[in-house]
Amino acid sequence: MKLDSINFKVIPAQPDFLARIIQIDANSDHCFQEMDSLLRSDQGAVSLILRVANSAMYSRGKQIKTIPHAINLLGINVIRSLAVLSVSRSIFSQNKNRLIKQHVWQHSLLTALACQQICAEMGESKLGEEAFVAGLLHDIGKVLLFYNYPDEYIQTLNHALETPCSCAEAERQILGIDHYEVGKEAVLEWRLPPYFNLYIATDLDLPTPKAVQNKVVQILAIANNLIKYAGFGANSSDLQMRKGKLMDLGASDNLSEYLLEESFMQQLVQNEIYLLCV
């Protein structure tokens, strides 16, 4: 299979809507009006944003009833995160395959939530929303491969889970192409900002030193590894191996210990956003 065989419009979502949401400049004088106008075109996004905005994670003690109120109260970056969440959720809402649900959708959502928590722990809270979006979209290449070749991709995922090879290696063996290549092309096809290649087309198991100079990429790599080896994206492994991997990616000894506590994962799977979307 070749890259030109991939239909980038096959997913049940609106890539144009996603690109326009991401491209809104939070520093523009018109950003609130642009966001409000764009969200009005997607009733599903409005519904999810208002539900999540009123959750314990984002609510500030005031009931949010309208999108303008949500934008004013939470700000453009949080609303952007929730809009991207609505797009991501719509991609998976009609798919019932257990492997895809656990190892792609739940993996992506838990990675996004972990990214936010890791940002806070590393004193990088200002990067929380950007890292959340990165977590949601980092495996979009897998989504496109599945929607284009559903039977073959399930075979690929099973192979990766049953053998010691990585998902990308299994993809290349069975499909002749991997999700990094597809993700990189999706950034072009969907007109996403070029820097999204850092999130979507980077091997997060073995990121280059240059890639992890970007703090969001480093946090994404730590979160991805944490969630993957907890059984969402790969088979779970022993704690010492997992700790070593986290520290190799730049997590401190104390942070690695904290992330590997059972209570941390319980906090993620009990998060109101996770429960609402899964």
Side-chain angles (χ1 to χ4, degrees):
M1 297 169 188
K2 296 183 179 180
L3 195 57
D4 58 13
S5 71
I6 301 294
N7 176 0
F8 288 89
K9 296 183 179 179
V10 72
I11 62 171
Q14 301 178 49
D16 289 344
F17 174 79
L18 178 65
R20 289 169 67 192
I21 285 288
I22 288 172
Q23 289 168 356
I24 290 177
D25 182 1
N27 296 315
S28 164
D29 292 338
H30 307 291
C31 62
F32 278 35
Q33 296 94 316
E34 288 177 51
M35 183 68 80
D36 184 31
S37 176
L38 187 53
L39 290 176
R40 287 175 188 271
S41 69
D42 190 317
Q43 195 58 41
V46 169
S47 175
L48 182 65
I49 286 170
L50 291 179
R51 289 176 71 185
V52 176
N54 283 291
S55 72
M57 185 169 184
Y58 288 110
S59 176
R60 296 173 182 172
K62 297 180 180 180
Q63 187 176 15
I64 300 172
K65 297 181 179 180
T66 66
I67 289 296
H69 186 194
I71 296 171
N72 276 295
L73 194 64
L74 302 181
I76 287 293
N77 289 327
V78 170
I79 296 299
R80 190 198 320 276
S81 295
L82 300 183
V84 174
L85 175 63
S86 77
V87 173
S88 303
R89 181 173 178 252
S90 71
I91 292 172
F92 291 94
S93 61
Q94 297 177 358
N95 188 278
K96 305 300 181 186
N97 184 277
R98 182 188 62 80
L99 285 178
I100 294 297
K101 183 177 179 181
Q102 178 176 345
H103 296 292
V104 183
W105 170 227
Q106 290 176 261
H107 167 83
S108 297
L109 182 53
L110 286 169
T111 298
L113 292 167
C115 278
Q116 284 188 320
Q117 294 299 315
I118 294 168
C119 282
E121 292 297 325
M122 294 179 70
E124 299 285 355
S125 294
K126 64 183 184 298
L127 299 176
E129 300 307 325
E130 178 73 19
F132 182 83
V133 170
L136 286 174
L137 297 180
H138 76 283
D139 270 347
I140 199 67
K142 292 181 181 180
V143 175
L144 284 161
L145 282 171
F146 171 69
Y147 271 101
N148 276 273
Y149 303 106
D151 293 338
E152 294 89 340
Y153 200 74
I154 294 303
Q155 180 187 353
T156 299
L157 195 50
N158 270 315
H159 181 67
L161 291 168
E162 292 168 1
T163 65
C165 75
S166 70
C167 201
E169 289 170 331
E171 290 162 355
R172 289 191 290 269
Q173 288 175 25
I174 295 172
L175 301 172
I177 191 172
D178 65 44
H179 66 277
Y180 303 124
E181 298 172 77
V182 176
K184 186 174 183 178
E185 188 65 19
V187 172
L188 289 173
E189 290 282 340
W190 295 351
R191 299 184 180 87
L192 299 178
Y195 69 85
F196 266 70
N197 278 313
L198 286 170
Y199 312 147
I200 294 172
T202 295
D203 182 347
L204 296 171
D205 279 335
L206 296 167
T208 65
K210 184 178 179 180
V212 293
Q213 286 177 4
N214 180 300
K215 205 68 179 177
V216 173
V217 174
Q218 182 190 32
I219 288 165
L220 173 61
I222 293 169
N224 171 73
N225 198 279
L226 174 72
I227 300 304
K228 178 178 177 180
Y229 290 104
F232 296 89
N235 290 318
S236 55
S237 58
D238 68 84
L239 287 178
Q240 278 307 113
M241 190 196 85
R242 293 177 66 196
K243 182 178 178 180
K245 285 179 175 289
L246 295 180
M247 293 185 70
D248 286 346
L249 293 169
S252 68
D253 185 276
N254 286 341
L255 178 59
S256 299
E257 290 280 354
Y258 170 68
L259 296 177
L260 291 170
E261 289 176 4
E262 186 177 340
S263 59
F264 184 81
M265 183 58 68
Q266 285 301 310
Q267 177 187 343
L268 295 182
V269 298
Q270 291 170 8
N271 183 288
E272 197 168 350
I273 292 176
Y274 181 76
L275 295 174
L276 175 64
C277 292
V278 171

